[in-house]
Amino acid sequence: MNSLLKFRRPLSSSLTSLSLQRLSTTLHYVFEEKKEGTSFIHPTAIVHPNAVIGQGVSVGPLCTIGPSAKLGNGCQMHPSSHIFGNTELGSHCVLMTGAVVGDELPGHTVIGCNNIIGHYAVVGIKCQDMKYKLGDECFLDVGDNNEIREFTSIHRSSKSRDRTVIGDNNLIMGSCHIAHDCKIGNNNIFANTTLLAGHVIVEDYVHTGGATVVHQFCYIGSFSFIGGGSVVSQDVPKYMMVSGDRAELRGLNFEGLRRCGFQVTEVLD
């Protein structure tokens, strides 16, 4: 028994050392471009030869890049992230583990620069709308500097004449859903499990509480706040605060306006 234990200890130590070495190798690819400025593609990744890869791109283990994909300079794909269809990523985008961007559909998914696509988020896939006809073009356009967190889903448009649009500098927290043909402005914060149905328009500097649900075709005005757990079935005016099921007007969004730099005199006027 003692001899068996003596044998197992060095074996366990060797396996631990090997595991740490593999982990170090796996993590190393993320920082490779910072040292050399050249692209790094892990040998287990599947990259179609027709894909366009910029400089300083890092592609991790078990990633997939389709034939029509374009990756800008400095993009990072963490293990098991995937890019499909006619999809373009601007420079310095990051796809976390399990993220899926794009779909094998007519149309395109265009992601701007400096965006983070979180763990297991699904961005730019077919919409969940019965109006959509297979073979129709559908589109998603995303701006710059957005953080799209884990398990979020963002769908393409339902018709070729429309598109789903997300602007710049938005924080979209975990498990949110943005449906087909939505138009999202800039500098918005959507708390976890905010759900936007089709054709919703959200202007700028809007803040939603967690588990907010917005009915299709609703309009959410700039600088408004929606309380957590609200069900919004009507338009929300600019500068206002609403909450409840169904959401009701609760007054001016004083705190939100203050944080955005409005002076007291401006608000009172």
Side-chain angles (χ1 to χ4, degrees):
M1 179 63 73
N2 289 335
S3 61
L4 180 59
L5 289 174
K6 288 179 182 179
F7 173 75
R8 290 180 64 184
R9 285 194 187 103
L11 178 61
S12 175
S13 177
S14 299
L15 289 174
T16 301
S17 176
L18 181 60
S19 297
L20 290 173
Q21 185 178 359
R22 286 179 176 175
L23 177 61
S24 176
T25 303
T26 299
L27 294 176
H28 178 67
Y29 79 89
V30 175
F31 306 103
E32 189 77 18
E33 86 286 357
K34 294 181 181 178
K35 293 182 179 180
E36 301 182 1
T38 57
S39 294
F40 175 87
I41 300 176
H42 194 274
T44 62
I46 300 174
V47 180
H48 196 280
N50 292 341
V52 178
I53 309 294
Q55 295 182 346
V57 172
S58 296
V59 181
L62 305 176
C63 292
T64 307
I65 302 177
S68 302
K70 298 179 182 178
L71 278 70
N73 297 336
C75 287
Q76 296 180 12
M77 294 183 64
H78 285 246
S80 300
S81 56
H82 308 282
I83 301 175
F84 298 118
N86 186 12
T87 298
E88 181 175 346
L89 266 65
S91 61
H92 299 99
C93 288
V94 178
L95 271 62
M96 303 304 293
T97 297
V100 177
V101 178
D103 204 345
E104 299 293 347
L105 297 169
H108 68 233
T109 297
V110 176
I111 310 290
C113 301
N114 302 307
N115 292 290
I116 299 174
I117 313 295
H119 298 78
Y120 301 98
V122 181
V123 177
I125 65 169
K126 186 178 78 169
C127 66
Q128 299 174 147
D129 189 343
M130 299 300 292
K131 294 194 302 293
Y132 177 75
K133 293 181 174 58
L134 195 63
D136 284 355
E137 290 187 321
C138 49
F139 304 97
L140 168 66
D141 294 331
V142 178
D144 302 330
N145 306 310
N146 297 287
E147 184 169 3
I148 300 168
R149 292 300 299 267
E150 60 276 3
F151 298 104
T152 288
S153 57
I154 302 175
H155 292 174
R156 290 203 213 174
S157 60
S158 61
K159 293 187 177 181
S160 58
R161 65 173 180 268
D162 207 340
R163 61 190 59 218
T164 305
V165 177
I166 296 176
D168 304 328
N169 305 304
N170 296 291
L171 171 57
I172 302 171
M173 297 187 193
S175 301
C176 288
H177 174 64
I178 298 176
H180 58 90
D181 309 296
C182 284
K183 306 292 186 295
I184 311 300
N186 306 318
N187 302 291
N188 297 295
I189 300 175
F190 298 158
N192 299 69
T193 63
T194 291
L195 309 178
L196 306 184
H199 303 277
V200 168
I201 296 175
V202 180
E203 291 195 326
D204 304 326
Y205 294 96
V206 171
H207 191 167
T208 69
T212 293
V213 178
V214 182
H215 192 275
Q216 61 195 31
F217 291 100
C218 282
Y219 165 93
I220 313 297
S222 296
F223 302 101
S224 59
F225 177 85
I226 303 174
S230 296
V231 177
V232 178
S233 57
Q234 301 180 69
D235 294 348
V236 177
K238 292 182 179 181
Y239 315 118
M240 294 298 168
M241 182 168 56
V242 303
S243 66
D245 178 11
R246 297 312 194 241
E248 297 179 0
L249 187 63
R250 307 294 179 178
L252 280 172
N253 181 20
F254 285 110
E255 182 61 22
L257 293 170
R258 183 190 67 79
R259 292 181 182 183
C260 289
F262 284 81
Q263 301 299 316
V264 175
T265 52
E266 294 178 282
V267 174
L268 294 178
D269 287 345

